[in-house]
Amino acid sequence: GQQLNQSPQSMFIQEGEDVSMNCTSSSIFNTWLWYKQEPGEGPVLLIALYKAGELTSNGRLTAQFGITRKDSFLNISASIPSDVGIYFCAGQLRPGGTSYGKLTFGQGTILTVHP
Amino acid sequence: DTGVSQNPRHKITKRGQNVTFRCDPISEHNRLYWYRQTLGQGPEFLTYFQNEAQLEKSRLLSDRFSAERPKGSFSTLEIQRTEQGDSAMYLCASSAIVITEAFFGQGTRLTVV
């Protein structure tokens, strides 16, 4: 099936550092979503992007929808220990309307933050 | 709590047994999705409902899997004759038609021994 390539696979950083991760696809998506998942829990939505070129922030998180619609990135500034978790990108083919809204996920980026 | 609720959180079953999971979506969300997640991977789409209609099923959903959403509210996912390969986290998500963000429940962790 359709795959998203997410990189890096893992990151080990010091508290206070900035983090950047990205996601690429061979296909165009109309919506990009970024989720965070902690062990034993379901993914929690962080940011949703709807337009090519869109740059959206949520606190220390900033995400952008690539102009080609085939990529997205997520930045975390001034990381803190509670940022630890697995970050997933997800693409959706069509927003709203009669589409089913199925999400295609990347493989995830494991983030470890050392105090 | 107005989020997506899944029960049980954990299930351990013997190979060959049937199991059923339940998902209660966010109130008034028309769409309900089931995903499966194995260790080290992102969630993979299984099936989707709009109200009570099941509109799509993934090839991952073999004949041993069946999902229902009888009244357009809660949904159940049943796995018959479980196999060890069925061991995974089963995630439910819901969304409204107009707002496309999907919100996930905490998942049901299935272990087949």
Side-chain angles (χ1 to χ4, degrees):
Chain A
Q2 198 167 39
Q3 293 290 326
L4 296 183
N5 295 314
Q6 190 172 344
S7 65
Q9 287 188 327
S10 61
M11 301 183 75
F12 298 84
I13 62 170
Q14 291 292 128
E15 182 177 0
E17 290 183 1
D18 296 345
V19 172
S20 183
M21 58 192 79
N22 66 76
C23 207
T24 60
S25 170
S26 57
S27 302
I28 288 174
F29 286 106
N30 293 87
T31 302
W32 284 92
L33 302 161
W34 284 91
Y35 288 86
K36 178 187 177 185
Q37 188 175 28
E38 297 185 17
E41 301 294 328
V44 174
L45 181 64
L46 298 174
I47 290 181
L49 302 156
Y50 297 103
K51 297 180 182 178
E54 179 182 355
L55 186 70
T56 298
S57 294
N58 178 8
R60 293 179 296 107
L61 277 61
T62 301
Q64 184 157 28
F65 191 145
I67 292 176
T68 65
R69 295 191 187 175
K70 293 183 178 180
D71 63 321
S72 177
F73 73 74
L74 175 70
N75 285 344
I76 305 173
S77 63
S79 59
I80 59 178
S82 62
D83 290 333
V84 165
I86 305 176
Y87 291 79
F88 289 99
C89 61
Q92 188 179 64
L93 283 175
R94 296 178 203 161
T98 58
S99 76
Y100 47 75
K102 179 180 78 173
L103 295 175
T104 300
F105 281 83
Q107 307 97 315
T109 295
I110 302 171
L111 179 63
T112 303
V113 180
H114 295 288
Chain B
D1 185 8
T2 57
V4 178
S5 177
Q6 291 188 247
N7 288 288
R9 292 290 310 277
H10 305 275
K11 179 71 177 178
I12 300 175
T13 190
K14 292 184 178 179
R15 190 170 46 188
Q17 297 293 306
N18 299 343
V19 294
T20 300
F21 310 140
R22 175 176 170 129
C23 172
D24 287 89
I26 293 172
S27 298
E28 299 175 357
H29 273 190
N30 306 91
R31 296 179 172 170
L32 187 149
Y33 313 82
W34 286 99
Y35 289 80
R36 183 173 71 185
Q37 185 178 27
T38 53
L39 201 61
Q41 301 295 319
E44 294 177 292
F45 173 78
L46 290 179
T47 190
Y48 152 77
F49 290 87
Q50 182 160 310
N51 299 314
E52 67 275 8
Q54 188 174 18
L55 297 186
E56 184 176 348
K57 293 192 289 186
S58 161
R59 292 179 205 171
L60 293 174
L61 215 64
S62 75
D63 291 344
R64 296 184 296 103
F65 288 69
S66 62
E68 294 183 344
R69 194 182 183 197
K71 297 183 180 179
S73 56
F74 73 91
S75 174
T76 58
L77 177 68
E78 181 184 16
I79 308 175
Q80 297 181 329
R81 306 181 302 282
T82 52
E83 302 173 356
Q84 285 190 321
D86 297 331
S87 295
M89 172 82 90
Y90 290 85
L91 294 162
C92 175
S94 70
S95 71
I97 291 179
V98 176
I99 301 173
T100 61
E101 295 100 332
F103 296 90
F104 283 82
Q106 294 172 303
T108 294
R109 167 72 66 187
L110 173 66
T111 303
V112 182
V113 297

